[in-house]
């Protein structure tokens, strides 16, 4: 049946809460308010205030409490309203959650799932439009997910909860209304990247909120005679290098699309991966489409101009071919 | 400020009274040896000594039950040892050997032991407080009677983590015993130079957390106050904050030239030393002879030497194992 990304996430949360008494949620306005993005709407009535736990505006405190609860035998799902506010909790995520297993000589694991809304495109200005997936993907000890499809929105949570280590899941705000066919039960892995559109002449590599834009760009490229393959990374740490490299070796050209700022971006890591491992398979230097290096502006025309867009992806792709192929 | 040295009869039976003395002595001798081995290059990195503060861990740990959770800081050799970690395991960890409690991954600041529910060894000031709140929440949700004791220094009170954790614990009425070891200096910064309000109990009370204060150089007062705190926590169902007023006799770490405090101040606090004042009280009551003290000290000395030999003969972890330990091994692997 057809459902939205938001409904798929809610379905996944409901199934997790119903299926395991250790699972509970904490976050700002997830209960009575119904969730900032309405993902958790209705869950308070269904599961009660103990398990759908509204918190004060204390990101460091409640993420740390999530870590403690995970150590204490529970399976907490912590919602951080946006990635912008997750910076207030970064100490607990990086200095505690990511390190405890290794630093304790393997004695403790932190089975914590952190859900974070991310990204720009809603004219909410610089302090509410960040993309910091690359910061998290830098840290050994955590796994980083970016569901970009309704199917992954439905399926990734269960896999994240089954993981014994901390998992950070980024939900791009532009995806919540995305609709697609999706069955009630979905099983997905949190290991592999996926080919979302097969192609032969160009690899377009992306994740999260940039996937729909990239698919649009691929269709336009098709009308120009370029057969592009679209890779959805899905898992940003650890990266599925073989899938990326297989596509690049086949297509011999690559564009990486990433809403993070270009310098030090995840796109930079993907390009490094390609250059280190598939340099002699390339017919052109890899290209990147990232956000312009300015704080994200409020005015719509400026915000649109700053972010990756299908036209920019098409232009970057065409630049790799010199002249259009016959 | 407390000035008179701890004195008066020890209102405990012999087992507890002597146990507390042995506890403090074990921590003291372990750390004196650690400082010596640091000088010899056997122990490296940071080494934060608890010397002078032993009465706090000794008195508090004996008030907790074996099932309770403990969260500690980077100055936690005493907490780990008195919670029940083998001295061998602590020493091997400080040597960086795989026989150490954390396989040599953590060192002095990161002593962990799942069997005794010791959740670190957290070297981010204030970092353990939200963790303790979460542990207490997990116990509550699982209908467990466990209490979570969280040790931290007064320096942590300047961190946001302290205030967020206190608020959550107070708001949700969680069974956390907040043990504030106020040794007056956050590294080199005196409490009066870092806090506008130096009454720490007042801060805790503003979060609906019950408060108590104890002379942290008096193991009797520490133990009694901690018992009272736990009783209050269990009976009233509220978190409790205890301020233990204590003093660190040694430098903050091994790199500290101690430019920030007068020698006379250190000497004044040493006159209130937890070990010698306590053993003097037991002797005054005729419950401990000098010969008995020396026998105990010699026994502790043997334990320390055994721990050093164990650490010396330990092995180094292979690099391949190190890389595997970043994530939890899956059951299938």
């Amino acid at each position: 049946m057809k459902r939205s990304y938001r409904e798929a996430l809610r379905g996944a949360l409901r199934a997790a809460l119903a299926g395991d008494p250790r699972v509970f949620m904490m976050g700002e306005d997830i209960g009575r308010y119904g969730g900032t993005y309405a993902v958790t709407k209705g869950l308070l009535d269904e599961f009660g205030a103990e398990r759908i736990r509204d918190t004060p505006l204390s990101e460091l405190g409640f993420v740390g409490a999530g870590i403690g609860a995970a150590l204490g035998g529970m399976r907490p799902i912590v919602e951080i309203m946006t990635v912008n506010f997750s910076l207030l909790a970064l100490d607990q995520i990086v200095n505690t959650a990511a390190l405890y297993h290794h630093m304790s000589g393997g004695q403790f694991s932190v089975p914590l799932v952190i859900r974070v809304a991310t990204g720009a495109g809603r004219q909410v200005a610089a302090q509410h439009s960040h993309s910091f997936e690359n910061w998290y993907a830098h840290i050994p000890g955590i796994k980083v997910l970016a569901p970009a499809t309704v199917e992954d929105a439905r399926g990734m949570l269960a896999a994240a909860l089954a993981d014994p280590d901390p998992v950070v899941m980024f939900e791009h705000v532009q995806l919540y209304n995305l609709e697609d066919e999706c069955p009630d039960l979905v099983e997905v892995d949190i290991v592999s990247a996926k080919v979302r559109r097969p192609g032969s002449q160009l690899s377009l590599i992306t994740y999260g909120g940039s996937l729909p834009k990239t698919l649009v760009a691929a269709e336009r490229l098709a009308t120009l005679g370029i057969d592009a393959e679209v890779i959805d990374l899905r898992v940003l740490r650890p990266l599925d290098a073989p899938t990326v490299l297989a596509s690049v070796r086949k297509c011999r050209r690559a564009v990486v699309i990433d809403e993070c700022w270009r310098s030090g971006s995840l796109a930079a890591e993907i390009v490094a991966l390609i250059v280190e491992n598939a340099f002699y398979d390339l017919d052109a230097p890899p290209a990147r489409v990232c956000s312009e290096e300015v704080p994200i502006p409020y005015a719509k025309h400026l915000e649109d101009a700053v972010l990756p867009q299908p036209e920019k992806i098409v232009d970057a792709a065409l630049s790799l071919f010199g002249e259009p192929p016959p | 400020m407390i000035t008179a040295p701890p004195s008066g009869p020890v209102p405990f039976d012999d087992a507890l009274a002597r146990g507390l003395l042995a506890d403090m002595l074990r921590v003291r001798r372990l750390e004196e040896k650690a400082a010596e081995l640091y000088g010899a290059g056997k122990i490296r990195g940071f080494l934060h000594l608890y010397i002078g503060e032993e009465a706090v861990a000794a008195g508090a740990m004996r008030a907790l039950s074996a099932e309770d959770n403990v969260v500690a800081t980077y100055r936690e050799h005493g907490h780990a040892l008195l919670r029940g970690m083998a001295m061998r395991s602590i020493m091997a960890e400080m040597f960086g050997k795989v026989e150490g409690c954390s396989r040599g991954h953590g060192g002095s600041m990161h002593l962990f032991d799942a069997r005794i529910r010791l959740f670190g060894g957290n070297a981010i000031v204030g970092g353990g407080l939200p963790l303790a709140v979460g542990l207490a929440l997990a116990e509550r949700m699982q209908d467990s009677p466990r209490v979570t004791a969280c040790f931290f220094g007064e320096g942590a009170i300047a961190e946001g983590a302290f205030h967020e954790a206190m608020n959550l614990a107070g708001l949700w009425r969680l069974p956390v015993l907040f043990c504030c070891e106020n040794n007056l200096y956050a590294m080199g910064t005196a409490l009066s130079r870092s806090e506008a309000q130096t009454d720490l109990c007042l801060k805790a009370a503003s979060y609906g957390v019950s408060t108590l204060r104890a002379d942290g150089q008096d193991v009797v007062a520490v133990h009694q106050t901690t018992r009272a705190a736990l009783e209050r926590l269990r009976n009233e169902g509220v978190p409790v904050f205890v301020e233990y007023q204590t003093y660190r006799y040694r430098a903050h770490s091994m790199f500290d030239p101690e430019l920030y405090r007068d020698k006379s101040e250190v000497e004044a606090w040493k006159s209130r030393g937890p070990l010698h004042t306590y053993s003097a009280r037991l002797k005054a009551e005729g419950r401990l002879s000098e010969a008995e003290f020396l026998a105990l000290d010699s026994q502790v000395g043997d334990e320390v030497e055994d721990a050093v030999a164990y650490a010396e003969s330990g092995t180094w972890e292979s690099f391949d194992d190190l890389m595997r330990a970043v994530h939890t091994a899956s059951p299938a692997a």
Side-chain angles (χ1 to χ4, degrees), chain A residues 92-122:
Chain A
Q92 283 290 329
I93 299 169
V94 174
N95 277 320
T96 302
L99 306 186
Y100 253 44
H101 182 67
H102 190 265
M103 204 164 71
S104 67
Q107 294 185 75
F108 291 105
S109 298
V110 182
L112 169 69
V113 175
I114 302 176
R115 294 178 42 243
V116 190
T118 187
R122 291 161 47 93

Short mmCIF file of all heavy atoms in Angstrom, two decimals, chain A residues 92-122:
data_model
loop_
_atom_site.label_atom_id
_atom_site.label_comp_id
_atom_site.label_asym_id
_atom_site.label_seq_id
_atom_site.Cartn_x
_atom_site.Cartn_y
_atom_site.Cartn_z
N GLN A 92 28.14 13.70 24.64
CA GLN A 92 27.69 12.39 25.10
C GLN A 92 27.77 11.35 23.98
O GLN A 92 28.10 10.18 24.21
CB GLN A 92 26.26 12.47 25.65
CG GLN A 92 26.18 13.07 27.06
CD GLN A 92 26.77 12.16 28.12
OE1 GLN A 92 26.73 10.94 28.01
NE2 GLN A 92 27.34 12.74 29.15
N ILE A 93 27.47 11.77 22.75
CA ILE A 93 27.48 10.82 21.64
C ILE A 93 28.91 10.40 21.31
O ILE A 93 29.21 9.22 21.15
CB ILE A 93 26.79 11.43 20.40
CG1 ILE A 93 25.32 11.76 20.71
CG2 ILE A 93 26.89 10.49 19.20
CD1 ILE A 93 24.64 12.60 19.64
N VAL A 94 29.79 11.39 21.24
CA VAL A 94 31.15 11.12 20.79
C VAL A 94 32.04 10.61 21.93
O VAL A 94 32.79 9.66 21.76
CB VAL A 94 31.77 12.39 20.15
CG1 VAL A 94 33.23 12.17 19.82
CG2 VAL A 94 30.98 12.78 18.91
N ASN A 95 31.94 11.25 23.09
CA ASN A 95 32.85 10.91 24.19
C ASN A 95 32.36 9.76 25.06
O ASN A 95 33.13 9.21 25.83
CB ASN A 95 33.09 12.14 25.07
CG ASN A 95 34.16 13.05 24.51
OD1 ASN A 95 35.17 12.59 23.99
ND2 ASN A 95 33.93 14.35 24.58
N THR A 96 31.09 9.45 24.97
CA THR A 96 30.60 8.32 25.78
C THR A 96 30.06 7.20 24.90
O THR A 96 30.64 6.12 24.85
CB THR A 96 29.53 8.79 26.78
OG1 THR A 96 30.09 9.82 27.62
CG2 THR A 96 29.10 7.66 27.68
N ALA A 97 28.98 7.46 24.16
CA ALA A 97 28.33 6.37 23.42
C ALA A 97 29.32 5.66 22.48
O ALA A 97 29.40 4.44 22.45
CB ALA A 97 27.14 6.90 22.64
N ALA A 98 30.07 6.44 21.72
CA ALA A 98 30.94 5.85 20.71
C ALA A 98 32.14 5.13 21.33
O ALA A 98 32.71 4.23 20.71
CB ALA A 98 31.43 6.93 19.74
N LEU A 99 32.52 5.52 22.53
CA LEU A 99 33.77 5.02 23.10
C LEU A 99 33.61 3.88 24.10
O LEU A 99 34.56 3.15 24.36
CB LEU A 99 34.53 6.15 23.81
CG LEU A 99 34.83 7.43 23.01
CD1 LEU A 99 35.71 8.35 23.85
CD2 LEU A 99 35.53 7.10 21.70
N TYR A 100 32.42 3.78 24.71
CA TYR A 100 32.33 2.92 25.89
C TYR A 100 32.68 1.46 25.61
O TYR A 100 33.29 0.81 26.44
CB TYR A 100 30.95 3.05 26.55
CG TYR A 100 31.02 3.83 27.85
CD1 TYR A 100 31.78 4.99 27.93
CD2 TYR A 100 30.37 3.40 29.00
CE1 TYR A 100 31.87 5.71 29.11
CE2 TYR A 100 30.46 4.12 30.19
CZ TYR A 100 31.21 5.26 30.24
OH TYR A 100 31.31 5.97 31.42
N HIS A 101 32.27 0.95 24.44
CA HIS A 101 32.57 -0.45 24.18
C HIS A 101 34.08 -0.69 24.14
O HIS A 101 34.61 -1.57 24.83
CB HIS A 101 31.92 -0.92 22.88
CG HIS A 101 32.18 -2.37 22.61
ND1 HIS A 101 31.64 -3.37 23.39
CD2 HIS A 101 32.95 -2.98 21.69
CE1 HIS A 101 32.08 -4.54 22.96
NE2 HIS A 101 32.88 -4.33 21.93
N HIS A 102 34.76 0.12 23.38
CA HIS A 102 36.19 -0.08 23.21
C HIS A 102 36.96 0.25 24.48
O HIS A 102 37.84 -0.50 24.93
CB HIS A 102 36.70 0.76 22.05
CG HIS A 102 38.10 0.43 21.65
ND1 HIS A 102 39.18 1.12 22.12
CD2 HIS A 102 38.58 -0.54 20.85
CE1 HIS A 102 40.28 0.59 21.62
NE2 HIS A 102 39.94 -0.42 20.85
N MET A 103 36.61 1.40 25.09
CA MET A 103 37.36 1.90 26.24
C MET A 103 37.20 0.99 27.45
O MET A 103 38.06 0.96 28.34
CB MET A 103 36.83 3.30 26.55
CG MET A 103 37.75 4.20 27.29
SD MET A 103 37.17 5.91 27.15
CE MET A 103 35.71 5.90 28.18
N SER A 104 36.10 0.23 27.49
CA SER A 104 35.89 -0.69 28.62
C SER A 104 36.44 -2.08 28.32
O SER A 104 36.13 -3.03 29.02
CB SER A 104 34.39 -0.78 28.95
OG SER A 104 33.68 -1.43 27.90
N GLY A 105 37.22 -2.17 27.26
CA GLY A 105 37.77 -3.47 26.90
C GLY A 105 36.70 -4.45 26.46
O GLY A 105 36.84 -5.65 26.63
N GLY A 106 35.61 -3.91 25.89
CA GLY A 106 34.55 -4.76 25.36
C GLY A 106 33.52 -5.20 26.40
O GLY A 106 32.65 -6.02 26.11
N GLN A 107 33.60 -4.66 27.61
CA GLN A 107 32.67 -5.11 28.66
C GLN A 107 31.27 -4.53 28.50
O GLN A 107 30.28 -5.15 28.87
CB GLN A 107 33.19 -4.70 30.03
CG GLN A 107 34.46 -5.40 30.43
CD GLN A 107 34.83 -5.03 31.85
OE1 GLN A 107 34.23 -5.50 32.80
NE2 GLN A 107 35.82 -4.18 32.00
N PHE A 108 31.20 -3.30 28.01
CA PHE A 108 29.90 -2.64 27.91
C PHE A 108 29.57 -2.32 26.46
O PHE A 108 30.46 -1.93 25.69
CB PHE A 108 29.88 -1.35 28.72
CG PHE A 108 29.95 -1.58 30.20
CD1 PHE A 108 31.12 -1.35 30.91
CD2 PHE A 108 28.83 -2.04 30.89
CE1 PHE A 108 31.18 -1.57 32.28
CE2 PHE A 108 28.88 -2.26 32.26
CZ PHE A 108 30.06 -2.03 32.95
N SER A 109 28.31 -2.48 26.10
CA SER A 109 27.82 -2.04 24.79
C SER A 109 26.70 -1.04 25.04
O SER A 109 26.03 -1.09 26.07
CB SER A 109 27.28 -3.22 23.98
OG SER A 109 28.31 -4.15 23.73
N VAL A 110 26.51 -0.16 24.08
CA VAL A 110 25.49 0.89 24.21
C VAL A 110 24.47 0.73 23.07
O VAL A 110 24.60 1.35 22.02
CB VAL A 110 26.13 2.29 24.17
CG1 VAL A 110 25.06 3.36 24.36
CG2 VAL A 110 27.21 2.42 25.24
N PRO A 111 23.43 -0.10 23.28
CA PRO A 111 22.44 -0.32 22.22
C PRO A 111 21.42 0.82 22.18
O PRO A 111 20.26 0.65 22.54
CB PRO A 111 21.80 -1.65 22.60
CG PRO A 111 21.93 -1.71 24.09
CD PRO A 111 23.18 -0.96 24.46
N LEU A 112 21.87 1.96 21.71
CA LEU A 112 21.06 3.17 21.69
C LEU A 112 20.78 3.57 20.25
O LEU A 112 21.69 3.53 19.42
CB LEU A 112 21.82 4.30 22.40
CG LEU A 112 21.27 5.72 22.27
CD1 LEU A 112 19.95 5.87 23.03
CD2 LEU A 112 22.29 6.73 22.80
N VAL A 113 19.54 3.94 19.96
CA VAL A 113 19.21 4.49 18.64
C VAL A 113 18.86 5.96 18.81
O VAL A 113 18.03 6.32 19.65
CB VAL A 113 18.03 3.73 17.99
CG1 VAL A 113 17.64 4.40 16.67
CG2 VAL A 113 18.40 2.27 17.74
N ILE A 114 19.54 6.81 18.04
CA ILE A 114 19.26 8.25 18.07
C ILE A 114 18.69 8.64 16.72
O ILE A 114 19.33 8.41 15.68
CB ILE A 114 20.55 9.05 18.35
CG1 ILE A 114 21.16 8.61 19.68
CG2 ILE A 114 20.25 10.56 18.37
CD1 ILE A 114 22.50 9.28 19.99
N ARG A 115 17.48 9.17 16.71
CA ARG A 115 16.85 9.65 15.48
C ARG A 115 17.00 11.17 15.41
O ARG A 115 16.72 11.86 16.39
CB ARG A 115 15.37 9.29 15.43
CG ARG A 115 15.06 7.81 15.35
CD ARG A 115 13.54 7.57 15.36
NE ARG A 115 12.86 8.53 14.51
CZ ARG A 115 11.97 9.43 14.96
NH1 ARG A 115 11.65 9.48 16.23
NH2 ARG A 115 11.41 10.28 14.12
N VAL A 116 17.45 11.66 14.26
CA VAL A 116 17.72 13.08 14.12
C VAL A 116 17.15 13.58 12.79
O VAL A 116 17.43 13.01 11.74
CB VAL A 116 19.25 13.35 14.10
CG1 VAL A 116 19.52 14.85 14.21
CG2 VAL A 116 19.96 12.61 15.22
N ALA A 117 16.37 14.67 12.85
CA ALA A 117 15.94 15.31 11.60
C ALA A 117 17.07 16.19 11.11
O ALA A 117 17.76 16.84 11.90
CB ALA A 117 14.69 16.14 11.85
N THR A 118 17.28 16.20 9.81
CA THR A 118 18.43 16.92 9.25
C THR A 118 18.03 17.67 7.98
O THR A 118 16.97 17.42 7.40
CB THR A 118 19.59 15.95 8.96
OG1 THR A 118 20.75 16.68 8.59
CG2 THR A 118 19.24 15.00 7.82
N GLY A 119 18.89 18.58 7.58
CA GLY A 119 18.79 19.16 6.25
C GLY A 119 18.05 20.47 6.13
O GLY A 119 17.44 20.96 7.09
N ALA A 120 18.12 21.01 4.92
CA ALA A 120 17.56 22.33 4.61
C ALA A 120 16.44 22.20 3.59
O ALA A 120 16.07 21.10 3.18
CB ALA A 120 18.67 23.23 4.08
N GLY A 121 15.91 23.37 3.18
CA GLY A 121 14.91 23.39 2.11
C GLY A 121 13.54 23.84 2.57
O GLY A 121 12.59 23.85 1.79
N ARG A 122 13.41 24.23 3.84
CA ARG A 122 12.12 24.65 4.34
C ARG A 122 12.10 26.12 4.76
O ARG A 122 11.25 26.56 5.50
CB ARG A 122 11.71 23.78 5.54
CG ARG A 122 11.39 22.34 5.15
CD ARG A 122 11.46 21.40 6.35
NE ARG A 122 10.75 21.94 7.50
CZ ARG A 122 9.47 21.67 7.79
NH1 ARG A 122 8.77 20.86 7.02
NH2 ARG A 122 8.89 22.19 8.85
#
